[in-house]
Amino acid sequence: MTRQILRGNLCWSAAPDRLRFQERGCLLVQDGVVQGVEQELPDAWKQVPVRDFGQCLIIPGLVDLHIHAPQYEFRGTGMDLELLEWLNQRTFPVEARYRDEAYAEKAYQVFTQDLKNSATTRACIFATIHLPATRILMEQLEATGMKGMVGKVNMDRNSPETLREKGPEQSAGDTVKWLEACAGRYKHVQPILTPRFIPSCSDALMRRLKEIQIQYRLPVQSHLSENPGELEWVKDLCPEAEFYGDAYDRFGLLGGEGCPAIMAHCVYSGKEEQKRLLERGVWIAHCPQSNMNLASGIAPVREFLDLGLRVGLGSDVAGGSSLSIFRAMTDAIQVSRLYWRLADRDRKPLTLDEVFYMATAAGGSFFGKVGRFEPGYQLDAVVLDDRRLNRLGNKTLRERLEQVCYLSDEREIVAKYVAGNPVIEPALP
Ligand code: GUN
Ligand code: FE
C-alpha cells in the first residue's frame, strides 16, 4: 500500500454546473486512488509525507476525447478549406506517410512529447490505417505514463490508394492482427475500434468490425454529423439510414452493450439523432476549434446538456490547431456566446463551470472513475503555478482558475499525475 498527500489550492467539479474550491486543501491518495479532501490531516495520515505545492492550483487532469496523432505535424495550416477538401488535400497525403516506420517514429515522438508536456492526462487518439505505425504510437504513449486509447483507423473506400485498405477482409484482418499484437502488452494504453467515418467504411467492413468488437469487447470512436458536405454525402451513401447516426447504429457501432462509443462533433445532430445518442449512452466529443477552422458550425451543446447527454471536449488536432484542452474549454464558451448572440437568444451560453466539468469529469468518465477529487476516483491531477498571470496576487481562487483556463500554457504546469504516478515530475524545492 502506498499513500501520498498533495497539498495546494484544489479546484474541481462538484456538479455539472458547479466548481468547488478548497484553499490549501490536502488530497489524500492511496494506491493512486483519491481517499478524500481534508483541510487538516487525519491522525492515520500524519506520518505520510506531504507534497506541498504552496499557492499553486491543483486541478483534475484534462481529458481529450478526440485527437488525431498523425495530423499533429500540419496543425495550423490548411484552414481555408472545408472538411472534405481538407481531408483530400491535406490530411490523407500526410497520413499516407505513416506507412514508413522511421517517419512514424520521428513524427509520433514530437506528438507524444508535446502531449506529455500539456495539461492533458488522458486522450482518445486516432492513429492511421498502418499497423506498425499504430504500435509505435502506442509504445511511445505508454512510455510517457499517460493513459490513452489508441485506434488503428479502418478505411476501405473513398480515399486515395495510398491510404486505403484493400477491402473489408484486409482491413478487418489487420485489425485483428493489431489487437493480438497489443494483447497484454500495455499498462496504460488500450486499443479502441476506429472506423474513420461512414464515407470511409464499406458496409461489409462495418459488419466485420461489429464482430471484432463483440469478440474483443472494444469501445469505439468515430466522427458524426460534422459538416454539411459530409452529411449530404452520407445521405447518398446510406439512403436507408434515418439520419447519420442511424448509419452507425444499423451496424451496432453506436455504443451500447458494454462497448461505449465516442462520436466527435455532432454539430448537425437533430432531435432524433440526439435521442438515439442518449439511448445508446454515447459520449459526444465537442471540438469547437475544429468546427471553427473547418467552418463546420456550432454544435448545440446546450441542447445536449438539457437532454442529459454526456459531452466531453476534444482538440481534434489537426482540424483543431491547438493541443490544449484549456483552449477547447474557452473556445466552447466563446462559440456558445456567439451562437446565443447571432442565432438563438433562448440557448444560454456555456459557463466556465460547465466547460470545466466537460473537460474533466465528463471526459474522464469514459475511462471509469476519473476526473474528480472524490473518494474512489483515480488521481489524475495537474499542478499549475500561475504567478506569471496573477502578478499582483490579488485574485480569488475562482478568478485565478478562470484566468488559467483562458491564458495558461505549458509554462504554468509544474507537475502532472496520472493514476497517482508522476508524468511531469515536480521539481523539489
Ligand atoms: N472526418 C473523417 N476524418 C476526419 C478527420 O481526420 N478529421 C475531422 N475533423 N473529421 C474527419
Ligand atoms: Fe477528428
Side-chain angles (χ1 to χ4, degrees):
M1 180 183 81
T2 28
R3 285 181 157 181
Q4 60 194 129
I5 299 169
L6 306 185
R7 183 152 205 203
N9 290 314
L10 308 176
C11 319
W12 75 101
S13 287
D17 60 355
R18 191 161 42 85
L19 279 163
R20 192 170 155 200
F21 300 92
Q22 183 114 356
E23 269 183 51
R24 299 282 300 135
C26 295
L27 198 47
L28 313 185
V29 183
Q30 186 169 304
D31 296 328
V33 176
V34 176
Q35 307 297 306
V37 169
E38 300 287 347
Q39 205 60 46
E40 299 299 330
L41 287 182
D43 284 345
W45 289 75
K46 289 219 162 104
Q47 304 308 315
V48 181
V50 177
R51 185 71 188 89
D52 194 334
F53 288 101
Q55 287 303 326
C56 288
L57 307 180
I58 306 180
I59 64 169
L62 306 185
V63 178
D64 191 338
L65 278 188
H66 184 76
I67 181 164
H68 299 260
Q71 298 174 15
Y72 187 59
E73 56 174 283
F74 72 96
R75 70 195 184 284
T77 69
M79 304 281 90
D80 52 341
L81 301 170
E82 275 199 66
L83 175 66
L84 300 178
E85 302 85 67
W86 175 82
L87 286 173
N88 282 317
Q89 292 175 36
R90 296 289 178 152
T91 309
F92 292 161
V94 170
E95 287 195 17
R97 289 189 201 143
Y98 288 74
R99 198 166 75 93
D100 175 351
E101 289 171 49
Y103 183 81
E105 190 80 52
K106 232 175 19 187
Y108 281 151
Q109 199 65 45
V110 174
F111 168 77
T112 46
Q113 286 314 301
D114 283 3
L115 192 66
K116 176 182 168 170
N117 291 327
S118 76
T120 299
T121 47
R122 305 199 185 219
C124 295
I125 307 175
F126 281 55
T128 60
I129 60 172
H130 312 99
L131 207 160
T134 302
R135 289 284 310 283
I136 288 167
L137 174 60
M138 294 172 91
E139 300 282 340
Q140 290 185 3
L141 189 67
E142 175 80 6
T144 66
M146 294 177 58
K147 301 260 180 198
M149 298 191 194
V150 173
K152 186 204 89 64
V153 173
N154 296 98
M155 42 200 302
D156 72 341
R157 66 177 182 183
N158 293 319
S159 51
E161 212 187 327
T162 50
L163 193 72
R164 190 185 339 125
E165 297 171 299
K166 292 182 189 43
E169 283 314 315
Q170 196 223 315
S171 181
D174 270 8
T175 303
V176 169
K177 263 193 237 158
W178 163 64
L179 291 167
E180 291 295 334
C182 310
R185 214 182 149 83
Y186 306 110
K187 199 164 139 224
H188 304 303
V189 181
Q190 285 173 250
I192 180 167
L193 206 59
T194 307
R196 182 173 208 120
F197 66 159
I198 290 287
S200 300
C201 301
S202 66
D203 288 4
L205 173 56
M206 295 295 270
R207 281 191 284 273
R208 292 286 288 114
L209 292 180
K210 182 63 197 178
E211 291 166 13
I212 293 170
Q213 183 184 47
I214 290 169
Q215 191 185 344
Y216 291 87
R217 311 263 355 132
L218 293 170
V220 57
Q221 59 181 354
S222 196
H223 296 91
L224 178 63
S225 298
E226 176 178 1
N227 186 283
E230 172 208 24
L231 259 80
E232 284 309 306
W233 197 15
V234 170
K235 263 192 208 149
D236 285 348
L237 290 167
C238 309
E240 68 287 0
E242 292 168 47
F243 42 84
Y244 190 163
D246 186 48
Y248 291 103
D249 205 22
R250 285 171 170 256
F251 297 105
L253 288 171
L254 196 66
E257 301 157 24
C259 295
I262 301 172
M263 287 288 153
H265 305 298
C266 303
V267 174
Y268 296 97
S269 296
K271 292 287 178 215
E272 286 302 300
E273 185 158 286
Q274 291 178 28
K275 200 165 138 256
R276 189 76 61 87
L277 296 176
L278 187 68
E279 282 164 12
R280 297 288 177 263
V282 169
W283 274 255
I284 294 171
H286 176 42
C287 308
Q289 196 181 45
S290 169
N291 298 157
M292 288 190 275
N293 285 338
L294 299 175
S296 294
I298 301 178
V301 176
R302 175 61 63 204
E303 281 179 25
F304 299 160
L305 297 180
D306 287 347
L307 194 63
L309 279 160
R310 295 161 163 150
V311 188
L313 294 174
S315 64
D316 193 30
V317 160
S321 13
S322 168
L323 197 67
S324 166
I325 294 299
F326 284 130
R327 179 68 198 264
M329 288 165 65
T330 54
D331 285 338
I333 293 177
Q334 289 174 331
V335 298
S336 77
R337 295 183 67 75
L338 285 180
Y339 193 92
W340 172 81
R341 172 63 70 200
L342 298 173
D344 185 353
R345 293 292 170 91
D346 292 329
R347 202 185 277 176
K348 258 190 349 208
L350 299 176
T351 64
L352 177 72
D353 296 58
E354 288 172 323
V355 298
F356 194 89
Y357 181 87
M358 288 160 61
T360 55
S365 66
F366 194 74
F367 289 85
K369 290 192 113 180
V370 171
R372 305 175 196 229
F373 294 155
E374 307 281 352
Y377 276 73
Q378 296 191 49
L379 176 78
D380 285 20
V382 178
V383 182
L384 300 150
D385 179 348
D386 66 336
R387 278 176 294 186
R388 182 179 68 95
L389 306 172
N390 185 25
R391 298 264 274 276
L392 301 179
N394 56 358
K395 296 194 180 68
T396 65
L397 208 42
R398 171 177 279 276
E399 287 167 341
R400 287 170 61 192
L401 180 69
E402 188 167 15
Q403 211 172 31
V404 157
C405 292
Y406 273 87
L407 290 169
S408 74
D409 56 36
E410 307 76 48
R411 282 175 289 181
E412 273 68 43
I413 301 171
V414 295
K416 174 161 107 172
Y417 297 85
V418 181
N421 299 313
V423 167
I424 297 175
E425 290 279 1
L428 287 166

